[in-house]
Amino acid sequence: QKEVEQNSGPLSVPEGAIASLNCTYSDRGSQSFFWYRQYSGKSPELIMFIYSNGDKEDGRFTAQLNKASQYVSLLIRDSQPSDSATYLCAVLYNQGGKLIFGQGTELSVKP
Amino acid sequence: SAVISQKPSRDICQRGTSLTIQCQVDSQVTMMFWYRQQPGQSLTLIATANQGSEATYESGFVIDKFPISRPNLTFSTLTVSNMSPEDSSIYLCSVVGLADFSYNEQFFGPGTRLTVL
């Protein structure tokens, strides 16, 4: 059973702080990893993906991947109230496009 | 990224009836998928919609309950058949662009919110 685990939260951080979202996965053969943001009542929107060990930065977002530990994280710097949403980690298990999603972490950024 | 639309955006249906959901993309895409998101839950893949052939279903989902069509590279339909209240969910289509050969970035449509009474 291929699994993707996230802390369900809610995770609450003050405005301007760094929010850290974590995800672990069970299949060592996984190649690509995705972070989606989902506002209440909306569909998921892709924030970024990562496939190499290390860090990948895009604006205020940094994805970190450690394949040896089967761990992927998302850091949000200078968190804003508009970042309040559920963040979904997804793992690609084969090139046929099958994504397995974690249960999501609810983030709340307090002004 | 592609612009994806779904119809209807929401519907309320009676048990035992069927509903067909449409997914239209403004450009040709390689892969199209259908997901379900039950209330308060994450996304679960129902099937991969294959152009010109039968869809590939995930464990727990069958063609008789969720028939899927994909007549071309920009359009797909999902039918939820013989509905029960347990089928109340958001149904989402997602796509992978033609130029995406490796990373399979998936973009989601706006979803169809289905309530079965």
Side-chain angles (χ1 to χ4, degrees):
Chain A
Q1 179 82 5
K2 296 178 173 62
E3 294 181 346
V4 179
E5 299 286 340
Q6 293 180 254
N7 293 326
S8 59
L11 173 66
S12 183
V13 300
E15 184 175 356
I18 296 176
S20 178
L21 304 158
N22 305 314
C23 174
T24 59
Y25 58 95
S26 63
D27 188 351
R28 285 190 175 276
S30 306
Q31 294 298 315
S32 300
F33 307 85
F34 302 84
W35 282 101
Y36 286 85
R37 177 175 62 196
Q38 187 173 29
Y39 292 111
S40 180
K42 302 294 186 182
S43 63
E45 56 178 318
L46 182 64
I47 298 174
M48 61 192 307
F49 71 91
I50 186 168
Y51 59 92
S52 296
N53 275 327
D55 295 358
K56 180 181 180 182
E57 188 173 319
D58 184 359
R60 295 186 296 111
F61 298 97
T62 299
Q64 299 175 318
L65 175 61
N66 184 325
K67 289 187 177 180
S69 300
Q70 294 175 241
Y71 177 91
V72 59
S73 66
L74 180 70
L75 301 178
I76 306 175
R77 290 182 301 281
D78 189 23
S79 296
Q80 301 297 310
S82 58
D83 295 325
S84 298
T86 296
Y87 288 80
L88 298 164
C89 171
V91 178
L92 180 68
Y93 277 101
N94 55 57
Q95 289 305 306
K98 180 176 178 177
L99 284 182
I100 305 297
F101 282 84
Q103 65 268 44
T105 298
E106 182 183 350
L107 172 66
S108 176
V109 181
K110 303 295 187 184
Chain B
S1 61
V3 176
I4 308 166
S5 61
Q6 286 186 233
K7 290 181 181 179
S9 58
R10 60 178 62 228
D11 207 341
I12 300 173
C13 301
Q14 297 298 318
R15 69 171 66 209
T17 62
S18 297
L19 176 72
T20 295
I21 302 167
Q22 298 179 1
C23 178
Q24 178 74 56
V25 193
D26 70 341
S27 58
Q28 292 183 336
V29 295
T30 53
M31 292 183 277
M32 297 182 78
F33 304 90
W34 287 98
Y35 287 82
R36 180 174 74 182
Q37 188 171 29
Q38 294 177 301
Q41 303 295 314
S42 189
L43 283 78
T44 301
L45 180 63
I46 297 172
T48 303
N50 300 310
Q51 195 239 334
S53 65
E54 192 171 288
T56 304
Y57 290 85
E58 296 301 309
S59 176
F61 298 96
V62 296
I63 187 171
D64 290 346
K65 176 67 176 178
F66 297 101
I68 288 170
S69 77
R70 189 181 172 191
N72 55 50
L73 293 179
T74 64
F75 185 78
S76 178
T77 67
L78 167 74
T79 298
V80 186
S81 303
N82 188 26
M83 289 183 285
S84 67
E86 292 71 36
D87 294 320
S88 297
S89 288
I90 299 173
Y91 292 86
L92 298 132
C93 71
S94 72
V95 305
V96 176
L98 270 182
D100 185 345
F101 299 111
S102 299
Y103 308 123
N104 288 188
E105 295 173 72
Q106 286 187 33
F107 299 94
F108 285 84
T112 296
R113 185 180 295 271
L114 171 62
T115 302
V116 184
L117 302 178

